[in-house]
Amino acid sequence: MITVTKLLLKLRSSKAQLAKVFRDADEDKNGLLTFSELKQLLEHLLGDSSLTDSDVAQVMLVFDMQDKDGYIDYSEFFMNYKRTPLSSTS
């Protein structure tokens, strides 16, 4: 879950730009992030081009929680931003 935690920390640091981050990552502008778009987003936000497909799949599994259709829509993206593993650590 290291990659998920890193992503959530990065997203929290740019809260005001969450919608923009999603729109920019959604290259085909269909309102959904594909595996490839998510990988590019992670590489850009985390500054890590060595992410494996397994790392990206882990994030996809966590974020694609509503309908498990293999895509992340903005609702799933935003809900995961709010529901973080960090909130359980006090």
Side-chain angles (χ1 to χ4, degrees):
M1 288 280 211
I2 289 292
T3 303
V4 174
T5 302
K6 281 182 177 177
L7 174 61
L8 292 170
L9 284 169
K10 189 69 169 179
L11 289 174
R12 284 187 170 246
S13 72
S14 59
K15 178 180 179 181
Q17 298 179 5
L18 191 63
K20 182 180 179 345
V21 167
F22 185 89
R23 281 192 311 270
D24 289 350
D26 181 17
E27 292 181 353
D28 57 8
K29 307 303 179 207
N30 67 351
L32 302 169
L33 296 183
T34 63
F35 186 91
S36 174
E37 290 168 336
L38 178 62
K39 185 170 186 173
Q40 289 179 0
L41 170 67
L42 291 170
E43 288 173 348
H44 174 73
L45 281 179
L46 302 178
D48 186 353
S49 60
S50 67
L51 291 171
T52 66
D53 284 351
S54 178
D55 294 329
V56 179
Q58 178 185 12
V59 174
M60 181 66 84
L61 284 172
V62 171
F63 274 62
D64 184 25
M65 63 183 196
Q66 283 183 315
D67 52 17
K68 300 193 184 308
D69 62 354
Y71 301 96
I72 300 169
D73 62 33
Y74 184 74
S75 173
E76 291 169 323
F77 191 73
F78 183 73
M79 285 195 329
N80 274 287
Y81 163 78
K82 289 175 55 178
R83 178 195 70 97
T84 71
L86 305 173
S87 62
S88 63
T89 61
S90 300

